[in-house]
Amino acid sequence: KSMERTGNRSSAVTIYWQTRNREAIKAIVDRFNLPCYMSVNRETRCRISDDDMPLLVKCEKKGLIKLRNKQES
């Protein structure tokens, strides 16, 4: 049985980069098609598809990132 796709639904998240490993950051940026910028606070704002969210949570559990749900200011 194939996994059900959620279509185009996505969530706005702010990724805080806990790792300083450039290869790990590049791999995550490439895998999730993230913008290639990081703020001075080590954050990247982006939209993540609901289908990709479980994998991003695994990256968080490994200590590479922290997910923050910040409101747009």
Side-chain angles (χ1 to χ4, degrees):
K1 181 180 167 185
S2 66
M3 276 181 43
E4 232 178 89
R5 303 290 292 175
T6 57
N8 293 333
R9 285 185 281 180
S10 63
S11 303
V13 295
T14 299
I15 294 174
Y16 170 74
W17 298 95
Q18 295 195 127
T19 184
R20 294 187 183 270
N21 180 311
R22 291 182 186 271
E23 289 81 21
I25 292 169
K26 182 177 180 344
I28 292 169
V29 166
D30 290 348
R31 167 59 183 86
F32 295 101
N33 197 26
L34 302 177
C36 295
Y37 81 90
M38 182 187 302
S39 74
V40 294
N41 296 328
R42 302 191 58 76
E43 293 179 338
T44 301
R45 279 188 166 168
C46 58
R47 293 199 73 81
I48 299 294
S49 78
D50 291 351
D51 294 322
D52 282 340
M53 195 57 82
L55 185 57
L56 198 62
V57 168
K58 284 185 182 179
C59 292
E60 182 177 34
K61 287 180 180 172
K62 287 184 177 184
L64 299 170
I65 62 171
K66 267 217 186 307
L67 296 174
R68 298 177 173 171
N69 295 320
K70 289 189 168 183
Q71 299 302 317
E72 296 288 326
S73 45

